[in-house]
Amino acid sequence: MNASKEPGANLTSGQSSAPVSIFGTPIDQVLILALFIFLSEAIVMFLLSFIRPLPVWVKGLVDPALLVTMLAPILYFFVVRPLTYQLTLREQAETKLRTLATSLEQQVLQRTGDLERTQTDLLNTLDDYRKNNETLQQAIAEREQAGESLRMIRMLIDHSNDAIEILDPDTGRFLDVNEKGCRDLGYSR
């Protein structure tokens, strides 16, 4: 892994990004940090042994001061820098999640509106079909009734004891003749 990568450099390209570390896992980092602390303390103790005998309170101040001076860059490199990198990645991920959530909410609202409009259109169309169906059923019933009336009139005309002829007033041609009229005139239907 390359420790010189910028925080979040891979986030913009959509790839996941691993923490900046040249030593691998967090356990490896803890072990390396413990080793550096041990070595730093050993070096400080070694250096203090070359200095002429100091009072205990001076040794008590010099020892931690040298230890902090030696460990500060190591702590920065192994603790602070990876943590700030992880915080930056987390902030970028949260920002991206908020943006995606907002976008998704807008899409859901838009699709919900589309579905509501489609539902309204379908209900209106269904109402139109129902009205048309009722109109057609009424027209069919009226035609059936008219047809039944015509059949009844036709039956009455055909079974009448009188000859009935219907003529076209313009041409004088026969349009219809009942059975009695056909027999009286000597024609067949």
Side-chain angles (χ1 to χ4, degrees):
M1 236 175 264
N2 187 355
S4 66
K5 283 188 179 179
E6 288 294 321
N10 287 336
L11 277 182
T12 56
S13 64
Q15 300 171 351
S16 64
S17 175
V20 173
S21 171
I22 60 171
F23 297 107
T25 67
I27 292 174
D28 294 339
Q29 288 180 343
V30 168
L31 291 174
I32 291 170
L33 191 58
L35 177 67
F36 277 118
I37 291 172
F38 175 77
L39 289 175
S40 296
E41 181 61 28
I43 292 170
V44 167
M45 294 304 284
F46 181 72
L47 291 174
L48 285 178
S49 70
F50 287 112
I51 299 176
R52 60 185 167 107
L54 297 171
V56 175
W57 67 273
V58 173
K59 263 190 178 179
L61 290 175
V62 171
D63 182 18
L66 287 174
L67 191 59
V68 166
T69 303
M70 290 181 71
L71 286 179
I74 294 168
L75 289 173
Y76 173 78
F77 184 73
F78 285 103
V79 176
V80 174
R81 190 166 174 227
L83 285 177
T84 55
Y85 176 73
Q86 288 300 319
L87 289 173
T88 302
L89 287 180
R90 183 181 177 126
E91 288 171 0
Q92 289 173 349
E94 287 175 353
T95 301
K96 190 169 186 176
L97 281 174
R98 278 192 293 274
T99 302
L100 291 174
T102 302
S103 172
L104 184 61
E105 287 175 13
Q106 289 173 349
Q107 288 177 359
V108 166
L109 289 174
Q110 179 183 2
R111 299 282 158 67
T112 301
D114 292 346
L115 287 173
E116 288 172 349
R117 284 188 292 281
T118 301
Q119 180 184 17
T120 302
D121 292 346
L122 286 173
L123 289 174
N124 289 339
T125 302
L126 182 62
D127 286 343
D128 290 345
Y129 284 148
R130 284 184 181 150
K131 289 175 187 173
N132 289 341
N133 189 26
E134 289 172 5
T135 303
L136 287 173
Q137 286 178 348
Q138 185 178 3
I140 289 170
E142 289 172 359
R143 279 189 173 203
E144 287 175 350
Q145 188 177 14
E148 185 62 32
S149 296
L150 285 174
R151 281 190 290 278
M152 187 182 300
I153 290 171
R154 183 71 199 185
M155 188 180 75
L156 289 173
I157 290 173
D158 282 344
H159 290 90
S160 172
N161 289 331
D162 297 323
I164 300 174
E165 294 110 9
I166 300 173
L167 301 172
D168 184 348
D170 295 333
T171 62
R173 294 184 59 174
F174 286 102
L175 296 177
D176 197 9
V177 179
N178 71 347
E179 289 293 326
K180 173 79 170 149
C182 284
R183 278 192 309 259
D184 287 351
L185 296 173
Y187 294 113
S188 61
R189 282 187 131 171

